[in-house]
Amino acid sequence: MISTLLNRLSSKKYLLIAIIITLIVVIIKALKQHPIYSLENIGDESFYYPESVYLEKYGLYKSLSQGTSVLFSIIIVLFSKIFSTSLLIAGRIYSVIAFLISSVLLYKILAKYTRLSLAAIAFTLVYFATMCRGWLWLELADLSSMPFVYGSLYLLLQNKGYKNIVISSLLLFLGFAIKPTCLIMLPAFIAGLFMLQYRSEGIGKAAMNAIVYGSVFVFFFGLYHIPGYQTYGKLMLESKNHTYNGDKRVENKTSWVERNVYLQKYNVNNKPNNWHITWAEVDSFKALHPEINLNQSITQYVKENPTAHLKKILKELFLFLPYEIQSGFFFYKWNIINHWIKNDMVIKFIGLLLIAGFYFKEREVLKNNIILVLLGTAYFLCLSIYSLIDIQSNWLLWCFPFLALPIISLLTKHINIALLVLLQLLFIVVM
């Protein structure tokens, strides 16, 4: 009887209902965790909110000259007028809308450009919702940029000529105008486009399309930074190292770059991560050691610390990434290993072995979806090389579903999809 019921619930109609229910549960669960009317700024909300205030007060050109997530500020101001609410609440509302749009686009990508079963597609969407749960109802750029990223990817995968390439590149640029780490996606998207074109049109056409894609992005990138360059004489990329006194930009005494270099190279108090480092601690270190330059570019840092940086990259690739991928599945919550073993590195290594097993078992899935896997992997590697500190999981939200495909494929082959969704819903509720 139970088997019959589960089989009935595995039909297309009920899977669609299950996906909708999961999205609703995730949104409600996130709302309980992040009350929309709370005046507390969580994480970078305290950074994005003043930027939207600055845009509203001083206009688009002055906001553009600051070079800081201007499109996000525009969206926040627009939504505050549409919903007749504060800028902070408007940004939180948009995060949910962006999440829903991204879910639809992800479905379109999976349904049209993969050979996954309906059950695997449904469970991928449920997994994606699970991974996004911690970032809903927050005025943050991670989810806010994702509709543009997935829209860009959807058009790129269509592989239909220059018009799609131009629009795809423009959408990725708009994602950049919200979340600057989209700039690091550019090499991955160009590589994906080149591989698609190489397979169907040959190396000459592939190279031309890749050049067009990159040129469009660079063109809009240049236009975007004209106001900042005219005002400050340099490219004004996103920076959290300033406040405002009226319309005037006031640089902080200590920058995030200095804080990150301090953590990686010195960290005299042996703090476990960046969130335990205080500004006062870095200021004190600078005062005691004026001969030490913490304000290093990524190139300078890597040149002086190649071995340490390589170790960080390998640690992120083989320990952080597998652990984060599997953290969105129901079995993560009840993993008995976490209760037996207290060493975080050992648990992450076991996670690596687990993911490696899934990947080996479902290597045909990797082969059939090589473009999507390549995009996620290339972006992660570029991000890992660029980042001085440990990568945050929210920076990888858009590519987690593609990197999790082998796990999803194996689970949906051997466990009824209705049961999988029920277990995942239980996981979401009890987290």
Side-chain angles (χ1 to χ4, degrees), residues 74-205:
I74 292 172
I75 291 172
I76 290 170
V77 172
L78 178 63
F79 271 62
S80 73
K81 297 184 184 303
I82 292 173
F83 292 99
S84 299
T85 189
S86 70
L87 294 173
L88 183 61
I89 292 174
R92 291 171 174 175
I93 292 172
Y94 173 67
S95 73
V96 177
I97 294 173
F99 164 66
L100 293 174
I101 294 171
S102 299
S103 298
V104 172
L105 288 170
L106 177 59
Y107 168 75
K108 287 182 172 293
I109 290 169
L110 295 170
K112 193 169 184 178
Y113 299 111
T114 71
R115 287 185 277 175
L116 296 172
S117 66
L118 180 62
I121 291 173
F123 199 55
T124 304
L125 291 168
V126 171
Y127 169 80
F128 173 69
T130 307
M131 295 300 286
C132 289
R133 71 196 182 281
W135 313 106
L136 288 166
W137 302 108
L138 293 177
E139 190 177 74
L140 300 175
D142 307 288
L143 280 176
S144 302
S145 64
M146 207 176 303
F148 299 97
V149 174
Y150 277 153
S152 175
L153 178 57
Y154 181 67
L155 290 176
L156 183 148
L157 291 170
Q158 286 185 7
N159 197 18
K160 286 186 177 179
Y162 290 128
K163 181 180 177 181
N164 274 34
I165 291 172
V166 169
I167 298 174
S168 174
S169 185
L170 173 59
L171 286 174
L172 186 62
F173 166 76
L174 293 176
F176 161 80
I178 295 177
K179 181 73 175 177
T181 51
C182 289
L183 180 62
I184 304 174
M185 297 176 195
L186 184 60
F189 276 56
I190 289 176
L193 176 63
F194 182 87
M195 184 173 285
L196 279 171
Q197 287 287 310
Y198 178 73
R199 286 176 164 181
S200 59
E201 303 288 344
I203 191 168
K205 186 72 170 178

Side-chain angles (χ1 to χ4, degrees), residues 262-278 281 285:
Y262 167 78
L263 172 64
Q264 295 295 74
K265 291 185 66 173
Y266 303 101
N267 192 11
V268 294
N269 296 315
N270 296 314
K271 298 292 181 65
N273 56 52
N274 190 55
W275 307 114
H276 290 82
I277 302 290
T278 65
E281 180 179 344
F285 181 84

